[in-house]
């Protein structure tokens, strides 16, 4: 054990030239911390008569430790999966204008809660509300942290200790253990389940209202489909019942499309405008699904109800931040200016024709000098339009052990996320942005598939 005596003391090591360089880069406290840890580990693990690492090796170990500690974990990557709203990959990428707006709000002060006309305190919620009202035809709007928060706030503020009716066809888990029935009970509302798993009728709702329901929660099937012997009353029928019986109708739309998805060869996804004109009192949806903006929960509907929501204590806990509001407004402007399809990345991806994608895949194949271009399908993802596909073309590489390749692709400087099908690696150009194409190809060229 006496060999350990050869180990340099911490302060001696810190004066070493290469360690000083580390201090200049990482700061003294971290380097001190790493140095102590490494020396302790050596002391603890040393076997009798084992030689002690040279100084150079010590410095290397310290450097490695510092790098591990500080390595960024949230890093940009290339989505070659063809899943447009990939929840694990951050859902919607923002438009140029939305990024600019976010930067502008981030780097300085802003009129976030300041009324420039009278110099007094202004309302944070006023900013996006103006645009949302214009776009959706609703009386009022409120933006919060995400749609889960929107739903929680709406139910907590309006239906606490009251009965809320929801159909068993809609008792869904949205993902990440976020279940509609749990949100209901967390908000203090009393859940009233009606109907069967596959069918619910207007008469079930009518009965529930007679039994004292104060609100109807209608949740859009955003991430699953029920097919076969199924039926649900339409929103308009529910709205009529709600109005006649003086109960609230809350619509959880999920993805919140503002454009007509049918124009892109997809099934009809109910739009926010339809839910508002269809008579829902409140409509909740996400900002980063089909809207194509930042993470946000948006609630539009009756002014009197939204005022109650805005004054509920939970509203403060789930409020949207300035970066979110800035980029959301820039995104909404694209819709108002009728340029969403050209400017908002998710709509650009949805509207790209298979032929355009085929050309890109062919170009990739030529550049790489391998693989083949085959027909396949992209998906919307993000719990939107389940089971619906967009025809696409992918570059397919036949490799041994595709799983291992998938892992290697994930470990690149700019990770590339691909798919496997039939022992082939598939790269779908649909979600790969033009600015990413060079780095994608140069990295792929380095790998010897
Ligand atoms: C996605 C989704 C939510 C949750 O929205 P987040 O913005 O992810 O919180 C809630 N309800 C429905 C129907 C959804 O599709």
């Amino acid at each position: 054990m006496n060999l350990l005596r050869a180990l340099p003391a911490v302060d001696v090591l810190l004066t070493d030239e290469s360690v000083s360089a580390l201090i200049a880069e990482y700061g003294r406290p971290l380097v001190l911390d790493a140095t102590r840890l490494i020396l302790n580990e050596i002391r603890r693990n040393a076997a009798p008569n084992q030689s002690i690492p040279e100084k150079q090796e010590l410095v290397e170990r310290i450097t490695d430790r510092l790098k591990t500690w500080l390595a960024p974990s949230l890093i940009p990557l290339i989505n070659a999966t063809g899943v447009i709203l990939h929840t694990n990959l951050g859902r919607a990428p923002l438009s140029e204008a939305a990024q600019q707006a976010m930067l502008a709000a981030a780097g300085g002060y802003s009129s976030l809660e300041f009324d420039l006309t009278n110099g007094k305190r202004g309302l944070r919620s006023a900013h996006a509300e103006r645009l949302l009202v214009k776009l959706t035809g609703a009386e009022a709007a409120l933006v919060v942290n995400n749609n889960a928060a929107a739903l929680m706030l709406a139910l907590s503020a309006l239906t606490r200790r009251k009965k809320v009716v929801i159909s068993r066809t809609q008792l869904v888990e949205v993902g990440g253990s976020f279940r509609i029935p749990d949100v209901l009970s967390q908000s203090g509302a009393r859940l009233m389940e009606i109907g069967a798993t596959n069918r619910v009728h207007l008469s079930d709702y009518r009965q529930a209202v007679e039994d004292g329901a104060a609100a109807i929660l209608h949740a859009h099937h955003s991430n699953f489909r029920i097919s076969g012997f199924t039926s649900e009353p339409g929103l308009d029928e529910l709205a009529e019942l709600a109005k006649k019986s003086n109960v609230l109708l809350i619509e959880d739309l999920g993805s919140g499309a503002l454009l007509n998805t049918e124009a892109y060869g997809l099934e009809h996804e109910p739009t926010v405008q339809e839910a508002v004109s269809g008579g829902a009192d409140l409509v909740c949806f996400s900002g980063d699904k089909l809207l194509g903006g930042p993470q946000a929960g948006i609630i539009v509907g009756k002014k009197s109800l939204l005022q109650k929501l805005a004054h509920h204590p939970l509203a403060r806990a789930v409020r949207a931040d300035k970066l979110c509001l800035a980029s959301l407004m820039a995104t909404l402007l694209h819709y108002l200016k009728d340029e969403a399809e050209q400017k908002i990345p998710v709509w650009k991806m949805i509207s790209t024709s298979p032929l355009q994608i085929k050309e890109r895949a062919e170009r990739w194949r030529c550049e790489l000098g391998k693989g083949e271009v085959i027909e396949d399908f992209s998906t919307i993802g993000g719990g939107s339009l389940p089971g619906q596909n967009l025809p696409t073309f992918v570059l397919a590489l036949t490799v041994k052990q595709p799983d291992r390749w998938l892992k290697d692709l994930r470990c690149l400087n700019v990770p590339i996320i691909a798919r496997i099908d039939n022992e082939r690696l598939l790269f779908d150009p649909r979600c790969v942005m033009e600015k990413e194409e060079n780095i994608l190809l140069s990295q792929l060229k380095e790998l010897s598939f």
Side-chain angles (χ1 to χ4, degrees):
M1 285 295 272
N2 56 3
L3 284 178
L4 279 176
R5 293 220 187 106
L7 210 55
V10 174
D11 24 341
V12 174
L13 205 50
L14 285 185
T15 57
D16 181 88
E17 204 179 322
S18 37
V19 179
S20 302
L22 288 179
I23 291 176
E25 189 176 349
Y26 295 101
R28 191 179 165 85
L30 265 189
V31 177
L32 182 62
D33 200 5
T35 306
R36 279 200 182 118
L37 254 150
I38 296 292
L39 292 178
N40 280 342
E41 277 171 19
I42 292 168
R43 284 197 195 94
R44 211 171 37 239
N45 300 331
N49 298 323
Q50 187 190 323
S51 66
I52 291 304
E54 296 292 328
K55 187 147 71 182
Q56 194 187 336
E57 198 197 322
L58 287 175
V59 175
E60 273 168 25
R61 284 204 209 175
I62 294 167
T63 311
D64 283 350
R65 189 61 54 96
L66 287 165
K67 282 192 176 146
T68 313
W69 281 349
L70 298 194
S73 61
L74 179 61
I75 53 177
L77 52 76
I78 296 174
N79 174 10
T81 62
V83 182
I84 298 173
L85 295 169
H86 202 303
T87 295
N88 303 138
L89 305 185
R91 288 198 187 151
L94 297 177
S95 74
E96 282 298 328
Q99 295 173 52
Q100 298 289 333
M102 194 174 235
L103 260 180
Y109 299 99
S110 62
S111 58
L112 181 63
E113 292 182 3
F114 188 72
D115 188 333
L116 287 167
T117 54
N118 61 15
K120 297 205 172 113
R121 182 169 182 204
L123 278 178
R124 170 186 297 253
S125 57
H127 299 288
E129 181 170 29
R130 223 165 24 92
L131 304 180
L132 283 164
V133 161
K134 182 112 191 75
L135 262 173
T136 65
E139 289 174 14
L142 181 68
V143 182
V144 295
N145 182 60
N146 61 1
N147 192 27
L151 205 54
M152 182 70 97
L153 174 61
L155 294 168
S156 306
L158 304 174
T159 64
R160 202 174 152 72
R161 293 199 199 91
K162 293 183 182 158
K163 292 183 186 166
V164 176
V165 53
I166 183 163
S167 162
R168 293 193 177 88
T169 57
Q170 296 166 13
L171 282 174
V172 301
E173 175 177 307
V174 176
S177 77
F178 175 78
R179 291 182 174 162
I180 298 280
D182 297 339
V183 178
L184 265 165
S185 63
Q186 186 65 39
S187 71
R190 281 155 51 199
L191 176 65
M192 246 178 133
E193 293 178 30
I194 58 165
T197 319
N198 56 334
R199 284 166 76 85
V200 63
H201 307 286
L202 190 61
S203 54
D204 296 321
Y205 281 99
R206 207 176 286 125
Q207 185 62 51
V209 169
E210 278 169 23
D211 293 344
I216 297 173
L217 176 61
H218 185 257
H220 177 54
H221 299 175
S222 56
N223 58 359
F224 75 111
R225 293 170 87 161
I226 51 173
S227 56
F229 186 55
T230 64
S231 92
E232 284 182 334
L235 189 70
D236 48 343
E237 291 174 273
L238 293 183
E240 200 186 313
L241 171 68
K243 198 164 180 188
K244 222 168 45 197
S245 342
N246 203 21
V247 305
L248 281 177
L249 177 58
I250 302 173
E251 165 84 320
D252 176 17
L253 253 193
S255 61
L258 290 167
L259 295 183
N260 182 5
T261 48
E262 277 168 307
Y264 304 92
L266 295 162
E267 254 173 38
H268 183 70
E269 171 84 2
T271 62
V272 180
Q273 298 91 318
E274 284 165 1
V276 171
S277 66
D281 296 302
L282 286 182
V283 184
C284 308
F285 53 99
S286 297
D288 54 355
K289 291 184 179 171
L290 281 175
L291 191 101
Q295 178 190 303
I298 301 167
I299 315 165
V300 300
K302 299 263 160 63
K303 195 171 194 133
S304 57
L305 298 176
L306 278 155
Q307 273 168 353
K308 283 191 193 160
L309 265 57
H311 291 115
H312 190 275
L314 202 53
R316 172 60 188 254
V318 298
R319 72 181 185 182
D321 81 304
K322 60 186 179 185
L323 305 185
C324 161
L325 288 170
S327 55
L328 178 64
M329 283 188 280
T331 308
L332 295 173
L333 278 181
H334 293 313
Y335 288 97
L336 280 169
K337 289 157 76 179
D338 195 26
E339 58 181 26
E341 188 184 309
Q342 294 82 37
K343 299 286 173 82
I344 297 178
V346 300
W347 285 101
K348 254 203 294 209
M349 292 168 186
I350 290 172
S351 60
T352 312
S353 73
L355 204 64
Q356 289 168 297
I357 295 177
K358 186 177 184 187
E359 280 168 15
R360 286 180 76 194
E362 292 284 5
R363 203 164 62 237
W364 293 5
R365 190 181 57 85
C366 285
E367 287 249 354
L368 292 176
K370 54 174 83 100
E372 52 180 326
V373 173
I374 58 171
E375 283 183 68
D376 203 68
F377 293 98
S378 317
T379 54
I380 303 292
S384 304
L385 294 160
Q388 289 210 43
N389 298 319
L390 292 164
T392 192
F393 285 87
V394 298
L395 174 66
L397 297 180
T398 306
V399 291
K400 290 201 184 89
Q401 298 180 292
D403 283 319
R404 210 201 51 169
W405 281 110
L406 225 45
K407 180 158 184 265
D408 288 351
L409 289 166
R410 288 199 302 270
C411 296
L412 290 167
N413 256 345
V414 182
I416 300 171
I417 313 301
R419 274 191 296 131
I420 300 179
D421 183 51
N422 277 330
E423 302 294 299
R424 283 182 302 198
L425 285 174
L426 304 186
F427 301 87
D428 187 336
R430 188 183 295 274
C431 310
V432 178
M433 301 194 208
E434 259 150 48
K435 62 180 182 192
E436 297 168 337
E437 203 161 291
N438 282 340
I439 180 86
L440 173 100
L441 291 172
S442 64
Q443 289 192 125
L444 289 184
K445 276 183 209 161
E446 295 285 310
L447 298 170
S448 42
F449 290 105

